[in-house]
Amino acid sequence: MIKAREWPVRAMYILIAAALAISLFITAAPAQKVSANPGLSEWDKVSTPTVQGWVLAPESEIVDFAVAAGGEVAYAIVWSEYTECPPCDGCTIEPEGPYYLLKSTDSAATWKSITKGIKAEITKKGLGNITELEAVACDAADPDFVAVALWVIDGSLHVFISNDGGSTFRDTGEVDLDEVGDLEVSPAVDNVRDIAIGGEASGVGKIFRCVAIGGIGTGWQDTSLTTSYPGWESCAWVEDIQFSPSWSEDHGILAVTVYANAGYDVYLQTGIWGDTEAWNNDAISIDAVLVATVDTYYGAGVTLPTDYKATDKDKRCVWVWVNSETEGVIYRVEYTSASAISVDPIGMQIEGNPWLTNVSYLGTIASGKAIAGLLYGEQECCAGVQVYRKSDIVDMDTCPSCAPWEPACKPPTGVYAMAAFYVSPTKAYAVALWNDGYYDEGAWSVSWEDDTTDVGEVWNQLSLIDTKIDYLSDVAVSPDCNKMWLVSINLGVEQQYCGCDSVWLKATSLTEAPEYSGKWLRTWSGQLLGTRVGERKGKEWGLLRLPPDGLTGNLTAEEEMGETVYLVDYGTTTVYWDTVETLGCWDSCSASKLVDIVDLAVVGNET
């Protein structure tokens, strides 16, 4: 009975897939529908992933980003050498770069450039032109307020602010910095916000403050003058800045600073910014805290619990991570009394103590969870950059006997640095930073929690993907026509680029993450090694195969669900599969008694 139905079902699937593949390639055809059988069926064109909406961002680099609570609104500074606008309606990549300020209002699935608003203010102020967009920050509770640090043609640094979501900007004036370490925006209190920017000027670490009333800034004040605020003496660099989550009550601000002595001393500084500024002993009766001394310094940062409060000694507990020449270590810093502090490495570090790009903590001092993105040198192109997660954290510590940090089974793509962070208890983003800008697979990725998967375990790419599509090799459609998958081939190996091939998913209704319904997600990235029969070497080819749905006979209910997707590396002995329709982690196997696989028939999820 099964054999009697096997060929007709498979033949029907092949015919449907072939017809849809043809429709995907006919991009020059008029957009009208063509009736295949009047009254019964119609054909329509389906868009594939392109640079439109910055889903693909070839030859690009994500410089900085800012995200509102929940992750629906986000900003990104992108450097891109890709100036060729493709022949598509509403193309968003304009030849105005190489720096772009982008905004997303659909949870980082697509982006639009808002760089024109900045350029209009530059022209109005007679500043010449942008030479570099440096940093971006927004009010997490009100993302219509956004600040951008930029360099102009005369070599000066300015910060532009907008309170209408980037439609218009105002210049807050010049900031006396030579290098920027961080830019941050406080929450609003009665429509008043503080903006902090830190870095280095003439070899001295500094933090400047601007008060913004609505969309107008009051100018910049150096709050780190050593004559006024003890604890800033000999500071050479400001690395990280964080406003207190209790800002409306405590007006607290924290900064990680670096002192260049025989080695490098990494300090945590605590300030109170109200009507006037004060730091450390003048603010909370405790000097700047020495977190670590390292021979060689490779970055540091601070992360806060949601109940941190600068004016309450029982609520002053944070994590500070520090990269030395040999390791990355997370420290727990606690103010144990009004005049004493405790600085200790947390009990369970990430295995191997790798370098860290950032650490994101979600929860209170009493309990929470964390994810951490790693900092690598250049790695294997398609392997991605690992992200680790840790749940069930008590008292902001992880004991040696507790379960270790867990790596992602499908990491986000990129080759150098990955910033991973929560936007809600059930969702996180990962952003590939500081890549070389030439098809290195850097991207904006997403991870969400469901019944079987933790946040941070599985990552899929949403947008700003620094890859390219040379051609499509296969297409598959779910039996209910809700989901579509593509295999795209990237011949970058021949051009000395990464050359990672991809599997893409688009669902009319994506029940796993409804905000991405109708959007393309890249759900697999790797290098297919096979060659199609008759093609020259290097012409890779991948095949997608789905289980047929609704078969009757001796199949189990699980086999009839149709959740497993198979990817065949054509011309090799390797088959990849994913049991949650490519959204999860992939497994692979290699046939031991075959030379080349040229096709695969699927009966059920496991057959």
Side-chain angles (χ1 to χ4, degrees), residues 556-579:
T556 65
E558 180 184 7
E559 287 177 321
E560 292 192 35
M561 290 173 63
E563 293 182 347
T564 301
V565 175
Y566 295 87
L567 170 64
V568 180
D569 191 351
Y570 186 102
T572 73
T573 62
T574 302
V575 175
Y576 301 89
W577 73 88
D578 178 89
T579 60

Side-chain angles (χ1 to χ4, degrees), residues 286-287 289-290 333-337 339-343:
I286 292 181
D287 292 335
V289 178
L290 177 61
V333 180
E334 180 184 19
Y335 296 78
T336 55
S337 68
S339 59
I341 56 96
S342 170
V343 180

Side-chain angles (χ1 to χ4, degrees), residues 46-105:
V46 178
S47 63
T48 58
T50 68
V51 296
Q52 186 173 4
W54 294 81
V55 176
L56 302 185
E59 299 180 64
S60 68
E61 174 182 339
I62 303 173
V63 177
D64 197 21
F65 61 89
V67 180
E72 182 178 353
V73 177
Y75 297 89
I77 294 173
V78 172
W79 172 90
S80 177
E81 284 195 345
Y82 191 83
T83 57
E84 180 182 342
C85 188
C88 61
D89 295 334
C91 173
T92 59
I93 296 187
E94 304 169 359
E96 61 180 22
Y99 286 94
Y100 301 84
L101 178 62
L102 306 180
K103 181 181 181 181
S104 175
T105 57

